[in-house]
Amino acid sequence: MRRIHVGNVLGAFGLGFTVPFLYVYVAQVRGLGSMTAGVVLAVFAVAALVVLPFAGRAIVRRGPLPVLLAALVTAAVGSLSLGLSGGAATVLLSAAALGAGQAVMQPALATMIVDCSSAETRSRAFATQFFLQNLGLGVGGLIGGHIVDTSRAGSFTLLFAIEAAMFALLVAVMSTVRMPRAPRLQEGAPQGRGGSWKQLLNHRAMVQLSVLGFVLFFACYGQFESGLSAYGVEAAGISTSTLGTAMAANTAMIVVAQFLVLRFVERRKRSRVIASVGLIWTFAWLVAGFAGLGDGSQAMASAAFVSTYALFGLGEAMLSPTLAPLVADLAPTGLAGQYNSAFALVKQLALAIGPAVGGPMGASLHAPYILTFVLFSLGITYLALRLGRMLSPVQDQPSAARSRVVAQRAPAETVPTAA
C-alpha cells in the first residue's frame, strides 16, 4: 500500500508539472495557434473515453498491475514525444498517448488499493490517495511554473522530460509491488464479451451511483477551470492572481481538512455524507452568486470567490473516503476493475461536457449559470438520499455493520466450552 501511495504522488506530481502549461506550450511556444491547442485538450478527454471501456475488461482479465505498467509506459512515451514535437500531427498523437495512459492509471491504481485493503481500512486508504494526489499536483504545478519560460522552447522540453522520468520512476517502483492474490469472478458470472458490462448495467445501485457521480463531477470539477473561472472574471471582476489564490485555497482546504473529516465521515452513512456535500456545494454556489451578482466591494467579492473554492474543497475531502470505497463495495467479486473503470468513464464524460456547457454560461449568462448549478447541487442531495434506499446497511455504513457483528459475537465468546 505504501508503494501504491508513492505511485499516486509521483504520478500526480508529473501531471501537475505539465498540464497547467499545455495550452501555452502548444499555442504560443510551438506556434500552432489556439485552435490546435483546444483540439489537443479535447484529445485528452477523447482518448480517455476510448480506452476506459477496454481498460476495465483488461484489469479483470490480467490484473491491475500489468495494466498499470502498460499505461505508465504509454504515458511516458507520450509525454517525452510531446516535449519534442513541433508539428500539429505529432503533438496530437503524443497528447492522445499521454491522455490514454493517464486515464487508465486511475482505475488500475484504484483497483490495486481495493485489493490491498480491507473494508475497515479502505476509506482511509482512498482518503490518503486523494490527499497525496492533490499535494503532488500542487507541488508539481508550483515547481513547473518556475521552470517554464515561454521564450525558450527548451524549458518546456525539460518539463515534459521530467514528467516522463516521473512515469519511468513509477514503473520501477510499481514493478516491486507484490499484489495479493486477486479475487476471482464469482462462479456463474458472465465472462464473455460484454458480459461484465451487461451485469454492471443491470446493477441498479451502481447505475444510480454512476448518475450521481456524473452530476457530482459535472457540477464541481467540470466547472473549476472553465465556467466558474469565467464567471469570476466576467461577473465578479476577479483578477488572475485572485483566481490563482482561489485554486490554492481549494487545494489547501483538501490538504488541511482531509484527515480531520475522515473520522466524521467513517461514522456516518455514506449516502448522507454525499447528500451533505450537495448542501455544502449549494451554499458554495450561493456565495459565488454573491461575489458576482451582489453589491459588495471588490474586496468582498474576491473573498467570497476564494471562499467558494474552499467550500468545494471541503466537499471533495468528504467525498474521497466515500465514493471510491462505495464503488468497490458494490462491485461483485472479481469485477472491481470493471466497476472502477466504469466510474472513471463517467467522470471523464462529466469533465468533457462540463466545460462545454459551463464555459459559455459562466462568461455571459451569469444569473442563469448560478441558478443552474444551485439546482444541480440540490440534485446531488436528492440523488444521494435516493441511492441510500438501494444500498444494504453494510454498503451504506460499514462501521455500524462491524459494530453489530462484534456485539453479536461477544456473548458467544464468553460461553465456556462444554466438557
Side-chain angles (χ1 to χ4, degrees), residues 114-397:
V114 172
D115 291 344
C116 292
S117 62
S118 63
E120 292 81 5
T121 62
R122 195 161 292 151
S123 292
R124 187 167 294 273
F126 277 105
T128 303
Q129 178 200 32
F130 190 68
F131 169 84
L132 291 174
Q133 281 180 339
N134 279 274
L135 192 62
L137 286 169
V139 173
L142 182 64
I143 296 177
H146 286 83
I147 292 177
V148 295
D149 182 354
T150 55
S151 64
R152 293 189 301 111
S155 65
F156 285 86
T157 302
L158 175 62
L159 208 66
F160 286 103
I162 293 174
E163 181 185 35
M166 288 296 102
F167 290 134
L169 177 60
L170 188 47
V171 169
V173 172
M174 301 312 290
S175 297
T176 66
V177 173
R178 296 295 176 262
M179 295 292 294
R181 184 179 296 274
R184 298 290 183 180
L185 286 171
Q186 291 176 344
E187 187 175 351
Q191 299 184 39
R193 178 173 296 181
S196 54
W197 279 104
K198 183 178 180 180
Q199 183 178 2
L200 188 151
L201 292 174
N202 288 332
H203 192 165
R204 288 185 59 205
M206 183 59 194
V207 171
Q208 178 75 22
L209 179 59
S210 299
V211 172
L212 173 59
F214 179 87
V215 177
L216 280 164
F217 297 127
F218 178 81
C220 178
Y221 299 100
Q223 305 307 314
F224 270 6
E225 297 176 1
S226 58
L228 189 54
S229 58
Y231 168 84
V233 171
E234 299 294 338
I238 300 300
S239 65
T240 54
S241 60
T242 302
L243 185 59
T245 302
M247 296 294 290
N250 175 265
T251 302
M253 175 63 78
I254 293 171
V255 171
V256 171
Q258 183 63 84
F259 293 104
L260 296 178
V261 303
L262 180 59
R263 183 169 296 181
F264 169 82
V265 168
E266 286 180 325
R267 295 177 179 177
R268 267 62 180 185
K269 291 184 177 181
R270 288 167 168 170
S271 58
R272 293 184 181 177
V273 170
I274 301 173
S276 65
V277 170
L279 296 178
I280 291 172
W281 286 359
T282 299
F283 180 64
W285 282 108
L286 291 174
V287 173
F290 170 78
L293 306 175
D295 297 327
S297 65
Q298 186 60 49
M300 292 180 62
S302 298
F305 195 74
V306 171
S307 299
T308 298
Y309 275 80
L311 287 168
F312 274 116
L314 177 61
E316 292 174 74
M318 295 172 66
L319 288 175
S320 62
T322 306
L323 279 179
L326 181 54
V327 173
D329 289 349
L330 287 175
T333 301
L335 286 180
Q338 184 78 59
Y339 276 54
N340 283 324
S341 296
F343 203 70
L345 179 62
V346 167
K347 181 178 181 179
Q348 289 295 331
L349 280 170
L351 294 181
I353 298 173
V357 174
M361 287 187 68
S364 56
L365 303 173
H366 302 150
Y369 177 70
I370 294 297
L371 178 61
T372 297
F373 285 95
V374 165
L375 294 176
F376 266 103
S377 299
L378 291 174
I380 291 171
T381 300
Y382 168 75
L383 290 172
L385 295 176
R386 184 180 175 187
L387 173 65
R389 295 194 290 268
M390 300 181 182
L391 302 176
S392 68
V394 175
Q395 292 168 342
D396 201 15
Q397 191 176 5

